[in-house]
Amino acid sequence: MSKLFNRITNWEAWPFKLLYAPIAPVWGWYMLRSWSVWFFTPSNPKITFGGMDGEPKKEMYDLLPPSLYPATFNVLPQQNFDAVKEALQQSGIQYPFIVKPEVGCQGILFRKIDEEVELQTYHAKIPVEYIVQSLVSYPMEVSVFYIRHPQQKKGTVTGFLHKIPLQVTGNGKDTLEQLILQHPKAQKRLGEMFSKHKANLQTVIPAGEKYMLSYAANHNRGAHFIDLKEYIDDRLVAIFDNISLGINDFFYGRYDIMCSNVEDLKNGKNFTILEYNGCGAEPNHFYDTGYTLFGAYREILKHWKALYHICKYNSAQGIKPWPFQKGRKFLAQIKAHFKLIREADAAMK
């Protein structure tokens, strides 16, 4: 009974559809007011589907100056592996590095590659286009939720988070398996953890040493979030105003960034953009940061309202929402794509 009670009250762990179900009628109301199921697509006109789902990463990187994101190149699954190795050499990217699907979600098929045999295995098993990207050495990963109405030059930062990927710290006595079983989030993902780290489960982790269980700093991958809202100021907003105005037509979404520290980020130095997500980005700063369920709903609804007004304005300027059939076909393709990469991810564990 206590476990059932904990599952019911721990709303942060609810499935996405269950969490959003009570406020879904508000989203429906925006559809009705816009006379469009896909009313959100004008939000970020240069990103496929407004960035709600299925947007290619290359599409986003191409809108950024190369200096603002890590060295990256794309690989097709049918490419000869010798050609992949040649592209890697030409890119200057060194081991270890990161690989992830060109169109991905929730950290699926996100991997750190330490040596050539791992890349060869990944390449042989992944069924979709993927990207190879330099592993960024900055110590801090943050996310910044940014909103700007098209009529304004100055936007707002509504959420600022420090994201810590799922990890354990050794004590010199317990094995990795024991540390996983003691970790409040890792113990809820035992199948995944034991499969991914089976080679090291009986290894005793030295005292003070951190062992990374996942390199994807996503909530659904067990990452821990620390609220940095007290550091939001005009300097931080100005950095993202400049980036977003440079992208042109980016009005609503979340930046995922690696940086040396918050002060350097505010000074516009020692940071790199891992990726940014459009209108499908969740205002994830209500996770792990003390929000109640109703507080989280207020935050979500505040963001949806801003999204609606951005789309309404852009639509009035001639950037119309996608036709129903176009959106329906696109979502069917993306659903099939995500099914494919989830199956591949499960097979690689």
Side-chain angles (χ1 to χ4, degrees):
M1 182 62 73
S2 62
K3 287 185 178 180
L4 178 61
F5 179 78
N6 288 335
R7 290 187 67 180
I8 292 172
T9 56
N10 185 20
W11 60 268
E12 293 184 359
W14 290 359
F16 181 87
K17 290 182 179 179
L18 176 61
L19 176 61
Y20 280 80
I23 56 174
V26 178
W27 190 264
W29 173 236
Y30 288 139
M31 289 182 183
L32 287 173
R33 292 181 68 180
S34 306
W35 289 98
S36 173
V37 172
W38 320 121
F39 75 91
F40 49 81
T41 55
S43 58
N44 300 301
K46 291 188 176 177
I47 303 177
T48 298
F49 214 41
M52 174 57 71
D53 213 357
E55 67 274 23
K57 289 180 173 61
K58 187 176 187 299
E59 184 177 78
M60 294 183 284
Y61 292 137
D62 284 349
L63 294 172
L64 289 170
S67 60
L68 287 184
Y69 62 91
T72 301
F73 69 91
N74 285 53
V75 179
L76 296 173
Q78 65 269 27
Q79 276 184 249
N80 182 279
F81 187 66
D82 287 337
V84 178
K85 291 195 295 182
E86 183 177 350
L88 181 64
Q89 185 176 14
Q90 291 177 351
S91 72
I93 297 174
Q94 302 292 321
Y95 290 97
F97 53 78
I98 295 299
V99 289
K100 51 188 174 181
E102 164 68 2
V103 176
C105 68
Q106 301 177 340
I108 297 170
L109 285 174
F110 184 105
R111 297 289 191 275
K112 174 174 169 278
I113 302 295
D114 292 300
E115 55 188 358
E116 184 177 306
V117 66
E118 293 179 1
L119 177 61
Q120 189 168 14
T121 299
Y122 186 89
H123 181 71
K125 292 184 177 181
I126 189 169
V128 297
E129 183 176 1
Y130 66 96
I131 66 172
V132 173
Q133 188 171 76
S134 291
L135 181 65
V136 181
S137 59
Y138 291 131
M140 187 176 192
E141 182 168 354
V142 300
S143 70
V144 177
F145 208 105
Y146 176 84
I147 300 174
R148 178 172 60 85
H149 192 278
Q151 288 180 295
Q152 300 172 343
K153 296 295 183 183
K154 182 177 174 62
T156 58
V157 170
T158 61
F160 189 25
L161 282 178
H162 179 196
K163 305 197 299 181
I164 303 174
L166 187 60
Q167 57 190 263
V168 292
T169 303
N171 56 19
K173 299 180 295 182
D174 292 333
T175 64
L176 176 60
E177 180 178 7
Q178 290 170 318
L179 294 173
I180 289 172
L181 289 170
Q182 295 164 18
H183 193 284
K185 288 192 175 182
Q187 66 179 224
K188 297 175 182 177
R189 313 175 67 86
L190 292 183
E192 175 189 349
M193 294 296 100
F194 288 173
S195 177
K196 280 188 175 180
H197 305 286
K198 59 184 176 182
N200 296 319
L201 287 177
Q202 301 310 313
T203 301
V204 174
I205 308 301
E209 181 177 306
K210 292 181 179 179
Y211 183 97
M212 300 298 294
L213 297 173
S214 174
Y215 283 87
N218 301 72
H219 172 71
N220 70 321
R221 293 282 168 170
H224 177 63
F225 296 164
I226 299 173
D227 200 352
L228 299 177
K229 63 184 176 184
E230 68 269 25
Y231 296 102
I232 299 173
D233 58 18
D234 287 342
R235 291 166 60 208
L236 184 71
V237 173
I239 292 295
F240 291 94
D241 280 336
N242 290 335
I243 294 172
S244 301
L245 287 166
I247 292 173
N248 193 12
D249 296 340
F250 184 72
F251 302 112
Y252 181 100
R254 190 186 69 232
Y255 290 92
D256 292 327
I257 289 170
M258 296 294 294
C259 62
S260 54
N261 54 64
V262 171
E263 189 62 23
D264 278 356
L265 177 59
K266 288 184 179 183
N267 288 326
K269 64 181 184 179
N270 299 329
F271 77 93
T272 189
I273 299 172
L274 298 179
E275 61 185 52
Y276 59 97
N277 303 278
C279 67
E282 190 176 29
N284 57 358
H285 47 274
F286 56 74
Y287 292 117
D288 293 341
T289 54
Y291 277 81
T292 64
L293 175 59
F294 292 105
Y297 283 153
R298 282 195 297 271
E299 199 67 15
I300 294 167
L301 293 175
K302 178 181 76 175
H303 284 74
W304 284 2
K305 183 177 181 180
L307 175 63
Y308 167 74
H309 284 293
I310 290 170
C311 295
K312 180 181 178 182
Y313 178 84
N314 281 345
S315 183
Q317 305 308 303
I319 307 168
K320 298 300 181 183
W322 280 25
F324 176 75
Q325 287 298 333
K326 179 181 178 181
R328 187 186 65 80
K329 290 179 181 178
F330 177 76
L331 280 184
Q333 293 170 356
I334 292 303
K335 183 179 179 180
H337 174 86
F338 288 160
K339 181 177 183 292
L340 187 64
I341 64 172
R342 284 191 179 95
E343 291 171 350
D345 191 60
M348 274 193 213
K349 289 177 182 177

